[in-house]
Amino acid sequence: MYTNRGKRKMRGEKMRSKSLKTVTVLTVLTYIVLNMAHPVTPMFITQNKLPSYLFGVFFAAMSIGNFIFSPIWGKLSDKGGRIKFMILGILGYGISQVGFGFSSNPVIIVFWRFIGGASVISFLTVILAYIADITDEEGRLKGMTYYAAASTFGGAIGSLLGGVIGNNNYKITFSVQFILSIVICILFYFFLEETVTKKNIDKVEKEKAYTKSINVLNPKVIFIMSQVVVFFFAVTSYNSSINYYIESVLSLPPTINGIFLAIAGIFGFLTNIFFTGKLAKRFGEVKALRISGISMALCIGGATLFNLVPLFFLFILLFVGSSAVYQPMLQNIISKVSNNDNGKIAGIQNSARAIGMIIGSLYSGFIFAYGSKLPFLTAAIVIIIGYLIFKFGYKKYEII
């Protein structure tokens, strides 16, 4: 017979499992909406006769909004609740996309990109804290893997959908994106349960009385956040360049752009589902992180060696697959240094993420004019540098 304690534990596990499945489905839907405009952005820049370097500037403006507001939203959600701040992020981003897509003045566009970044980071920060809330330490890697897989898969579908809808008129994609963002907010309101209640806050505050709160200047935090900067520099160099590369260098339409991004996203999704857990189990999270990191560098570096389009796309696919494994590994390691400050550590992480995105987007935007493959080559070099820093530093800073 089960004891009352055993029954409560089983009920808690079932509730967490149900909550994680709901979050996973909502994450897929949210990332479909968030990624719809990517394949039509090059058309937007071309038709408005804007210089190519502005695609990096626009991305950087969004990343600056990320950087400034990420710690604010994370800290507020620790006390004010998760759901309202996730809804705020999605709705704010939807509104900003209308302003972005229907503007032609670069200054106004930069403004809306900043607002979009400041808004969407509320969702991106708080969703990580929410997952940490509904998972225990044992199940956290599973939760982060599901989130990474869902975001990759949703992003793939969103890119495909946005490319098809906006193939002849990019404004249609931005309009649909806004409408769907409202729908997603309604789903969040009705289908998610709040994890931050007065009872939970009191419990966490008592636990914090016996544990040291996370310090942003802690060398261990700085060390692990340096890996976040490296990862998002590389991913942003890829993300902010690949759309423009496909359209302006390969001269392919938004539909093909969307199809490729969808294929890459689905490949990343499948790689994540089938390999992340197995790698972590076989090698441990630290070694698996290093393996996937060096794989990222080799793949995106290898893509620069070939002018043959199929080989270029093959190496890019392998890069996407490697990054899909790397991200949840890194996220899980970060979650273990939070000391119950899930919102705060998520905010710090997303600020580090924003730094990588700002530098990556500005650099790739300007360097693209000197060589269309230079953003990819630089990403490979930076990943290798990050790999070496992690290899020789993780024992010193006691990273599990």
Side-chain angles (χ1 to χ4, degrees), residues 141 276-285 288 329:
L141 178 60
T276 301
K278 291 179 181 178
L279 279 173
K281 186 175 181 179
R282 180 170 180 178
F283 298 107
E285 290 172 12
M329 296 284 188

Side-chain angles (χ1 to χ4, degrees), residues 16-252:
R16 282 196 293 267
S17 178
K18 182 181 178 182
S19 297
L20 184 57
K21 289 177 182 177
T22 304
V23 169
T24 302
V25 172
L26 289 175
T27 298
V28 171
L29 297 175
T30 302
Y31 271 86
I32 288 174
V33 175
L34 297 183
N35 287 272
M36 287 177 63
H38 293 333
V40 299
T41 301
M43 180 195 291
F44 167 83
I45 292 174
T46 302
Q47 290 191 3
N48 285 289
K49 298 180 180 179
L50 301 172
S52 62
Y53 70 83
L54 280 179
F55 77 81
V57 174
F58 295 157
F59 208 106
M62 184 174 175
S63 301
I64 291 170
N66 285 178
F67 175 76
I68 294 172
F69 282 89
S70 180
I72 296 173
W73 299 135
K75 192 172 181 180
L76 287 174
S77 76
D78 277 340
K79 297 290 179 68
R82 309 294 191 201
I83 295 175
K84 67 178 72 172
F85 287 102
M86 287 191 278
I87 290 174
L88 173 67
I90 297 166
L91 182 59
Y93 185 73
I95 294 170
S96 75
Q97 286 299 91
V98 175
F100 170 35
F102 285 80
S103 300
S104 57
N105 185 308
V107 176
I108 301 299
I109 296 169
V110 168
F111 167 77
W112 283 116
R113 289 277 75 196
F114 175 82
I115 296 300
S119 300
V120 76
I121 200 63
S122 182
F123 165 76
L124 297 176
T125 297
V126 179
I127 189 70
L128 295 177
Y130 189 90
I131 292 170
D133 291 342
I134 63 173
T135 55
D136 53 21
E137 188 169 325
E138 185 179 341
R140 196 150 295 160
L141 178 60
K142 179 182 177 181
M144 296 306 173
T145 300
Y146 279 17
Y147 170 75
S151 61
T152 303
F153 182 70
I157 302 302
S159 294
L160 177 60
L161 183 62
V164 171
I165 292 174
N167 191 53
N168 296 316
N169 185 346
Y170 65 82
K171 290 183 179 180
I172 297 175
T173 296
F174 287 104
S175 299
V176 173
Q177 192 176 32
F178 167 65
I179 294 168
L180 291 181
S181 69
I182 296 174
V183 175
I184 296 298
C185 289
I186 294 170
L187 294 177
F188 267 79
Y189 182 80
F190 284 106
F191 288 97
L192 279 189
E193 294 182 19
E194 183 57 70
T195 57
V196 177
T197 62
K198 188 178 186 306
K199 183 178 178 180
N200 289 342
I201 292 172
D202 292 341
K203 180 182 176 183
V204 169
E205 291 300 325
K206 287 179 182 178
E207 290 174 352
K208 285 181 181 180
Y210 298 98
T211 60
K212 192 174 180 180
S213 180
I214 197 73
N215 184 353
V216 69
L217 297 179
N218 184 319
K220 184 176 182 178
V221 174
I222 293 173
F223 174 76
I224 196 65
M225 291 305 162
S226 72
Q227 298 303 303
V228 176
V229 173
V230 167
F231 175 75
F232 280 99
F233 173 91
V235 170
T236 302
S237 293
Y238 159 75
N239 282 334
S240 62
S241 302
I242 190 65
N243 294 311
Y244 204 77
Y245 183 88
I246 291 173
E247 179 154 326
S248 67
V249 177
L250 302 183
S251 300
L252 298 173

Side-chain angles (χ1 to χ4, degrees), residues 266-282:
I266 292 170
F267 180 76
F269 166 77
L270 294 174
T271 305
N272 192 346
I273 291 296
F274 290 108
F275 289 100
T276 301
K278 291 179 181 178
L279 279 173
K281 186 175 181 179
R282 180 170 180 178

Side-chain angles (χ1 to χ4, degrees), residues 217-224 226-227 333 337 389-400:
L217 297 179
N218 184 319
K220 184 176 182 178
V221 174
I222 293 173
F223 174 76
I224 196 65
S226 72
Q227 298 303 303
I333 291 172
V337 302
I389 292 172
F390 188 80
K391 180 180 179 180
F392 294 109
Y394 78 93
K395 287 183 180 178
K396 176 182 177 181
Y397 293 103
E398 299 177 341
I399 305 298
I400 56 176

